Amino acid sequence: DAGITQSPRHKVTETGTPVTLRCHQTENHRYMYWYRQDPGHGLRLIHYSYGVKDTDKGEVSDGYSVSRSKTEDFLLTLESATSSQTSVYFCAISEGDRDDEKLFFGSGTQLSVL
Amino acid sequence: QQQVKQSPQSLIVQKGGISIINCAYENTAFDYFPWYQQFPGKGPALLIAIRPDVSEKKEGRFTISFNKSAKQFSLHIMDSQPGDSATYFCAANSPGGGADGLTFGKGTHLIIQP
């Protein structure tokens, strides 16, 4: 699993509360990604990072923010969770340089917003 | 705008049969076409990938067929086994785009019946 750990694995929260998901990697990969997976939508990119403090938006970034203060950690924050953010969230890394499209995914976080 | 269309959404195949999943794309700039396999409770894992300079790539029982003129590519699983039961995602990437340029299909839920 390329040394990727996501936490928590499961979380239930209420609408309007802030939520932070953590992705930790052990192999100093430069590129890290957050995806969400929903039935009928496949995998959609939320945000990605190309280095410490270097991040950019993906396809579905509204309502999400990210931070990367250390190479090994990439945090995804839902500032005020909504029911539409109920989903499975996956962190991924790509090995090598920017042109290496091979992604390695973590095991995911199941988030339920009630 | 769905840039990669995947079909069927679900597929049931008898053990020993051939499983075929199809994808079509619009963006002629795409130059890398991977397939990911996902088991329940796990993150997707890269299965096999192809670039448009070849029409076919085979790895064990898994084959990608690529038709550049039709802008279509497909995954064939020969001698399908119950252990192949999983969700499969096709994807496509733009040149030099890195994994942030990766667009996924919506997925195919494959069931291999014993």
Side-chain angles (χ1 to χ4, degrees):
Chain A
D1 61 358
I4 303 170
T5 303
Q6 290 187 233
S7 60
R9 290 297 313 276
H10 303 272
K11 185 170 183 65
V12 179
T13 191
E14 294 184 350
T15 300
T17 61
V19 176
T20 295
L21 308 183
R22 179 180 183 241
C23 179
H24 179 79
Q25 56 137 334
T26 59
E27 300 181 7
N28 283 331
H29 295 296
R30 180 180 176 189
Y31 296 96
M32 300 184 74
Y33 307 83
W34 277 108
Y35 284 86
R36 61 178 289 174
Q37 182 177 13
D38 305 286
H41 290 277
L43 291 154
R44 294 180 291 175
L45 182 65
I46 305 172
H47 281 279
Y48 65 98
S49 170
Y50 45 96
V52 172
K53 297 186 179 180
D54 291 324
T55 65
D56 207 345
K57 296 179 180 180
E59 178 188 358
V60 290
S61 60
D62 288 348
Y64 302 94
S65 62
V66 291
S67 65
R68 193 167 177 200
S69 58
K70 299 184 291 184
T71 298
E72 59 265 36
D73 289 326
F74 192 31
L75 304 181
L76 177 70
T77 298
L78 291 64
E79 301 290 347
S80 178
T82 67
S83 58
S84 65
Q85 293 176 311
T86 292
S87 185
V88 181
Y89 291 86
F90 287 100
C91 174
I93 61 96
S94 59
E95 297 182 334
D97 61 24
R98 188 173 192 273
D99 290 330
D100 187 337
E101 304 98 333
K102 298 176 184 177
L103 289 177
F104 295 86
F105 288 84
S107 295
T109 295
Q110 173 71 61
L111 176 66
S112 297
V113 183
L114 305 179
Chain B
Q1 179 184 358
Q2 185 183 353
Q3 295 196 59
V4 178
K5 295 183 178 181
Q6 183 172 346
S7 63
Q9 188 174 356
S10 60
L11 179 63
I12 299 174
V13 176
Q14 296 297 315
K15 178 182 176 181
I18 303 173
S19 303
I20 302 174
I21 303 171
N22 301 298
C23 285
Y25 63 96
E26 293 293 327
N27 187 350
T28 56
F30 287 147
D31 72 343
Y32 177 72
F33 303 88
W35 285 88
Y36 283 81
Q37 179 188 55
Q38 183 182 29
F39 294 108
K42 302 293 185 181
L46 181 64
L47 181 64
I48 187 173
I50 197 169
R51 294 195 184 272
D53 53 342
V54 296
S55 61
E56 184 176 283
K57 183 173 182 179
K58 183 176 181 180
E59 292 184 0
R61 295 184 294 108
F62 299 90
T63 300
I64 300 177
S65 297
F66 186 82
N67 186 329
K68 188 174 182 178
S69 61
K71 295 187 287 185
Q72 295 176 346
F73 59 109
S74 59
L75 176 69
H76 295 238
I77 306 174
M78 312 300 288
D79 187 26
S80 299
Q81 298 297 312
D84 298 329
S85 297
T87 299
Y88 292 82
F89 294 96
C90 64
N93 204 6
S94 302
D100 50 283
L102 201 60
T103 300
F104 285 89
K106 294 185 176 182
T108 296
H109 183 51
L110 174 65
I111 296 173
I112 307 300
Q113 290 187 332

